[in-house]
Amino acid sequence: SPMDAIRPPELQPLMRWTTEPLQLKNIPTGARVSYGGHFTAQRPTRLMILPVGYRDGYRKGFEGQAQVLVRGQRAPVVGSICMDLCMVDITDIPNVALGDEVVLMGAQGDEELTAYELASWAGTIPYEIPCAISDRVSRSYVETFA
């Protein structure tokens, strides 16, 4: 994103927002997913259901654009973002398992999802993204200094 260009390279984001899969599910071609069936599988599809939704600050405005990182790869969020859940198409990422770290914002491997990118999906500013993460999302603080 052009906004990423304004971040000096010596400054690195410290905040990461992560979760783990709640469920993994295979659906057939033509199956519809989520409220209103906003996603229709165009092929046999493997879904990862995440316990994160708009109640947590994972915005409805991300629909149709959002990606997450799992096993160091980007995977698209599909269907509606629900109050407590969202679904991710992991068909092209082998061996995804319950217990895997899923990154909603932050880096994993060589990939990174920045607050700037999330903000662009929602049509807002980067500062609003971490401010919107609800109190029910657990926090852990780790001191790291270069």
Side-chain angles (χ1 to χ4, degrees), residues 13 15 18 33 38-39 46 58 65 68 100 109 112 117 120 126:
M15 183 177 178
T18 65
V33 173
H38 286 177
F39 172 75
R46 185 151 178 82
Y58 201 70
Q65 303 175 84
V68 300
D100 280 356
E112 183 179 13
E117 188 170 10
S120 73

Side-chain angles (χ1 to χ4, degrees), residues 17 22 33-39 49-64 77-88 136:
W17 187 5
L22 183 64
V33 173
S34 199
Y35 298 126
H38 286 177
F39 172 75
I49 292 81
L50 299 179
V52 175
Y54 61 79
R55 168 64 177 86
D56 302 296
Y58 201 70
R59 301 169 62 111
K60 295 233 2 122
F62 294 164
E63 288 179 17
V77 176
V78 296
S80 297
I81 294 171
C82 306
M83 183 182 293
D84 299 304
L85 301 169
C86 64
M87 286 63 63
V88 178
R136 80 175 187 173

